[in-house]
Structures are given as C-alpha cells and as structure tokens.
Amino acid sequence: MRNIWILLLVLVVGLAAYFTFFHGQSGTSFSQAEVNFALEDTASVQEIILTSVENGTPEKRQKLTRIGADSWTLNDSMHAFAPKVRQMLKTLHLIHVTEHLNEAAQASAEELLLRYHIRIEVKSSDGSEKTYFMGPQAPQGNGTIMKLKGASKPYLVSIPGWVGYINPSFNMSETNLRENLLFRTPSQKLASIQWSYPKSGKESQTLIREGQSDTWMLNGTPVADTAALNAFLAKFDQPVFAESFADPQYPGKRAYLADREADYIFTVKTLEGDQREITLYERTDNPSNMFGWVNGKDELLTIQHFVFDPFLVEAAEFQN
C-alpha cells in the first residue's frame, strides 16, 4: 500500500512539474484563437505567399497561385510542382500545438522569430486570410516554433505521427517549387513515340499511328500484341517528372554532356503536332539516376531510372 501512495505522489509531482514548465504563469489551457493552426479547408485556398525574413528584413518571396483543382503557378511565370504544393497544404491542415511554452521559452522563441522566420500567407476563395510565422526547429527536437498573426505568443507545433519537422514542407527554393515536367501526353493524344540510341548505335524504334482510330505501327509493321501495347500506352496517362533540377549542383555539366553522344533520345508527339524530345545520359557516379534535359530548354535534370525505365521498352515487348 505504501508503494502505491509513493507512486501516486511521484505522478502528481511529475504532472505539476510538466504544467509549470510548459505553461508557466500564463495558465494551463490554450486559447483557440491562439492555437488554431490547422487550416481546415485546403481546397478553397487560392494563393500562398512565402516570404523569408532574416535579421528582420524580407529576403526572398515566392507566390503560388491556384489555376486549377491541382494546378498552380509560381510567381505568375511558371508552373509550380503540384506534389510540393499538396504537401504544403497537407502540412498546414495537420499541424497542431505540441507544447505551450513557459515565459522564459516564449521570450527566447520570440527573439528567434524576430531574427528569422518564414511568413506563410494563405488566401482562400471566400476572402479569408491566415498568416503563420514559422521559425526554426526547437533545440530540444520536439517541434517547430510557430506563431499565428494576431496571437500573443509562439508555440511549438508538429504533426501527430510524423517523424521529423514541418520546416521542409516550406522549402522556398525555386527549384524545389518549380514543376520539373518531362512530358504530359495522355495516351489518347499520342501520335508517335520514338527511341534512338546514339551512343550504342542500336537501331532506332518508332511506334506511330496516323489518327486516333488507326492501327499502331512499330517500325512499319502493325503491332501484334495489342494487350502489351495498351498496357504500355496506359503509362502515359500520368505526367512524368524529373527528380530535380541539377544545374546548381553540377555547373557546366550540361555543356559537357552536350558535346557527347547521348545514351537515349526519347521523343513523343501528339496528334495535334506537339512534340517533346528528351535527351538522356547514364551516370557512372549514380547508376540509379540519369542526367538529361528536355530539348529546347537549357536546364540539366536528374531523372530516376525507376521513373523512366518503363518507357524505354524493346520492340520485342509488342510482338507475340
């Protein structure tokens, strides 16, 4: 019995210490206006403006504007990478307060926010706006410092069940937010697909049809295995993206590769006459990736083999 009372006493003391440490002199409950971080209706968001502030001075700004259900522009001049925007909205939808800081911790957090934060302005179709001030990760590893516009103090926030911090969801690098599209060519719009192999000298292959109802021809011969063909064509019904923009990490690499024979040149053409040609180079430093670019654009890309290999097929796959 005595041991039970000792355990109860320890528990009470532990709880008292917790509330003293995390709630300080400001009470033991959260004001809803102070901690309403979660963005309930992400589907109505029309614009997100990210501004980095360093030493109290705005340094960089990125604006994302919705132009469709899952389509966004970046700074009104280029397409944004929709998966990155979805991740950002998901993060804003799920964040909650992890810890209510005591007065000493609040003062330190306010000082950090004054020196450095990312301001996240969210504008919705009903005219409502919500602004977050996101600071660095807490030194204890238990959340990210964040404050809502109009709130009296910052808090530590996180997402239940996530390992890591929310900060990477708001990476402001243009190369992180830009769409790194290789091609977006739905199968019903395809007119031709061509594979060539300049470095190996292997014979090129062409899959072509004259119109939407015409027979697909492979190197001048009707495709024999229509089931295999349809399975292959279905892969085009989702957009295909590169892994990353590589020029910042590999300056001068594109010019170097342009003077050398490519391993593959992959060309898709639509029935409307639009064409997309992608030049690809194997990598000895990272065999799971390739270097490449979309012809007509100057930017070097990294392209994952597991993403692109399903499109680098052999003619034998379409023959019975």
Side-chain angles (χ1 to χ4, degrees):
M1 187 69 177
R2 182 171 177 272
N3 288 338
I4 293 175
W5 281 109
I6 291 173
L7 288 171
L8 288 172
L9 180 61
V10 170
L11 179 60
V12 170
V13 170
L15 288 171
Y18 175 88
F19 282 105
T20 298
F21 182 78
F22 291 122
H23 295 267
Q25 305 300 315
S26 57
T28 59
S29 63
F30 301 152
S31 163
Q32 188 61 23
E34 289 272 319
V35 300
N36 188 24
F37 287 94
L39 186 66
E40 295 300 329
D41 183 12
T42 59
S44 69
V45 173
Q46 299 300 304
E47 188 174 271
I48 305 169
I49 299 174
L50 305 173
T51 307
S52 65
V53 176
E54 298 179 21
N55 296 317
T57 303
E59 295 289 338
K60 184 164 56 175
R61 181 179 184 268
Q62 304 284 17
K63 184 175 77 167
L64 296 159
T65 305
R66 190 190 292 272
I67 57 173
D70 193 34
S71 300
W72 297 76
T73 60
L74 176 62
N75 299 329
D76 299 321
S77 61
M78 60 194 84
H79 286 284
F81 191 28
K84 297 289 187 181
V85 183
R86 287 199 299 269
Q87 180 63 40
M88 197 179 295
L89 290 171
K90 180 181 178 181
T91 300
L92 291 174
H93 180 66
L94 295 176
I95 53 174
H96 80 308
V97 171
T98 301
E99 294 180 9
H100 184 164
L101 302 169
N102 65 18
E103 290 183 4
Q106 285 175 31
S108 297
E110 289 278 18
E111 185 179 345
L112 284 170
L113 284 175
L114 283 173
R115 290 206 307 266
Y116 167 80
H117 67 264
I118 292 177
R119 183 169 67 241
I120 307 162
E121 301 169 78
V122 182
K123 302 180 181 183
S124 298
S125 56
D126 62 2
S128 62
E129 298 184 15
K130 194 166 191 171
T131 301
Y132 305 78
F133 302 95
M134 184 184 73
Q137 300 95 328
Q140 302 90 343
N142 49 355
T144 294
I145 297 168
M146 184 174 271
K147 182 180 179 180
L148 286 170
K149 183 178 181 180
S152 63
K153 55 193 175 185
Y155 298 84
L156 290 185
V157 301
S158 65
I159 294 178
W162 276 26
V163 176
Y165 300 100
I166 67 168
N167 302 63
S169 295
F170 303 94
N171 182 341
M172 288 184 60
S173 165
E174 183 180 289
T175 56
N176 176 67
L177 294 172
R178 281 180 56 196
E179 182 179 72
N180 47 6
L181 181 70
L182 292 173
F183 56 89
R184 183 187 283 110
T185 315
S187 58
Q188 70 271 18
K189 294 184 177 182
L190 279 170
S192 68
I193 305 156
Q194 185 177 63
W195 302 262
S196 60
Y197 313 90
K199 188 174 181 178
S200 69
K202 191 170 97 172
E203 186 177 354
S204 297
Q205 304 176 86
T206 302
L207 188 63
I208 190 170
R209 63 176 173 174
E210 295 299 323
Q212 198 164 39
S213 60
D214 291 320
T215 299
W216 280 97
M217 309 289 286
L218 178 62
N219 301 329
T221 303
V223 172
D225 192 339
T226 56
L229 172 66
N230 291 334
F232 171 68
L233 295 176
K235 297 172 184 176
F236 287 82
D237 289 329
Q238 296 296 325
V240 180
F241 298 97
E243 180 187 35
S244 65
F245 295 97
D247 281 320
Q249 291 76 35
Y250 301 93
K253 189 71 173 182
R254 188 191 184 286
Y256 170 83
L257 291 173
D259 287 335
R260 285 152 178 79
E261 288 188 310
D263 288 283
Y264 315 101
I265 295 177
F266 179 82
T267 308
V268 288
K269 188 174 181 179
T270 68
L271 293 167
E272 292 83 7
D274 297 323
Q275 182 169 298
R276 196 93 166 175
E277 184 177 289
I278 300 158
T279 301
L280 298 161
Y281 294 81
E282 295 285 3
R283 294 179 60 178
T284 56
D285 63 318
N286 185 354
S288 64
N289 270 13
M290 295 181 282
F291 283 124
W293 55 80
V294 178
N295 285 12
K297 299 181 181 293
D298 292 332
E299 294 170 302
L300 182 69
L301 305 169
T302 59
I303 299 162
Q304 294 166 304
H305 261 293
F306 84 89
V307 170
F308 212 88
D309 281 358
F311 299 95
L312 297 174
V313 298
E314 296 290 334
E317 294 190 28
F318 305 125
Q319 306 298 338
N320 286 327

